[in-house]
Amino acid sequence: MNPIDIFKALSNETRLQILIWLKEPEVYFGTQKSADCKDVGVCVSLFHQRLQLTQSTVSEYLAILQRAGLVTATRIGKWTYYKRNEEMLQKVARYLGHDL
């Protein structure tokens, strides 16, 4: 765990919002035709629609979260799905509560 990468990823309001949405994806995104939001993750296109940002900006935000280890990506066909990395988020919480 690199705390600097994590704090950089969390320093953007939109990226933080993405993590909040991914905590309860069915509430914020409903159901997807191609994959279960909770098990597989949320398709990039749904983030794009909800955020009203360009696809490249959304993809970059998700890549930053992934590099920090806060989300994982699953590729199914031509689509990429993202979900929270709960194990890493627990490590971050322990770090903040204990080491910081």
Side-chain angles (χ1 to χ4, degrees):
M1 179 177 85
N2 182 342
I4 300 300
D5 289 339
I6 291 167
F7 290 129
K8 283 181 181 178
L10 296 175
S11 69
N12 176 281
E13 185 176 352
T14 302
R15 291 190 296 263
L16 189 56
Q17 186 64 58
I18 289 169
L19 283 175
I20 292 168
W21 289 341
L22 286 175
K23 189 171 185 176
E24 298 179 288
E26 64 284 349
V27 171
Y28 295 101
F29 298 100
T31 58
Q32 299 176 117
K33 294 176 186 175
S34 55
D36 181 78
C37 286
K38 198 78 166 166
D39 293 334
V40 177
V42 176
C43 185
V44 174
S45 63
L46 293 179
F47 290 109
H48 170 65
Q49 292 169 6
R50 186 156 178 93
L51 291 168
Q52 295 296 300
L53 297 171
T54 65
Q55 185 108 14
S56 62
T57 299
V58 172
S59 293
E60 179 61 25
Y61 284 170
L62 290 165
I64 290 168
L65 290 169
Q66 185 179 14
R67 280 193 300 272
L70 299 171
V71 299
T72 59
T74 301
R75 184 123 175 126
I76 300 175
K78 63 179 182 172
W79 308 107
T80 304
Y81 299 85
Y82 289 87
K83 70 179 192 175
R84 287 165 50 112
N85 181 346
E86 295 298 339
E87 183 180 330
M88 178 59 83
L89 290 166
Q90 289 299 317
K91 286 180 182 178
V92 171
R94 282 192 302 273
Y95 175 80
L96 289 173
H98 183 269
D99 295 341
L100 191 56

